[in-house]
């Protein structure tokens, strides 16, 4: 985990929240399942991981709505494409 991941998450939220996305989905290598994280929960998890070096205990969401979560890799590609197109990537300017 890197500080850049928190910056990325901020940019993802700025790009996708207004479109109705509730958070990000991330594939978990440990349990071989997709995990669905609301924006604030993932931010807290990333901050905890940066501070302590430990991943908070997690469980797959109960009855998630996958269509309202943007996959992390897709979000990264989308935000990178916006940057390549000259769109200011700073969340406050979206």
């Amino acid at each position: 985990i890197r500080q850049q991941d928190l910056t990325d998450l901020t940019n993802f939220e700025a790009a996708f929240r207004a479109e109705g996305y509730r958070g990000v989905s991330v594939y978990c290598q440990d349990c071989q399942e997709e995990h669905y994280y609301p924006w604030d929960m993932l931010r807290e998890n990333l901050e905890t991981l940066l501070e302590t070096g430990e991943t908070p205990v997690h469980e797959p969401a109960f009855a998630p709505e996958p269509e309202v979560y943007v996959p992390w890799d897709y979000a990264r590609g989308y935000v990178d494409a916006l940057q390549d197109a000259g769109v200011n990537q700073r969340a406050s300017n979206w």
Side-chain angles (χ1 to χ4, degrees), residues 28-84:
C28 177
Q29 294 293 330
D30 292 338
C31 65
Q32 304 292 305
E33 291 185 29
E34 197 76 16
H35 287 252
Y36 301 92
Y37 295 97
W39 303 113
D40 292 338
M41 178 188 286
L42 185 54
R43 184 173 296 103
E44 290 172 12
N45 285 355
L46 291 174
E47 289 170 349
T48 299
L49 186 56
L50 280 171
E51 291 171 13
T52 67
E54 297 181 18
T55 305
V57 175
H58 63 280
E59 296 180 9
F62 178 75
E65 298 175 65
E67 66 277 2
V68 297
Y69 292 87
V70 62
W72 181 276
D73 291 335
Y74 176 84
R76 175 172 281 143
Y78 184 87
V79 168
D80 287 347
L82 288 176
Q83 182 181 19
D84 290 347

Side-chain angles (χ1 to χ4, degrees), residues 79 81-90 93-94:
V79 168
L82 288 176
Q83 182 181 19
D84 290 347
V87 175
N88 190 335
Q89 194 173 354
R90 300 180 105 205
N93 294 328
W94 291 58

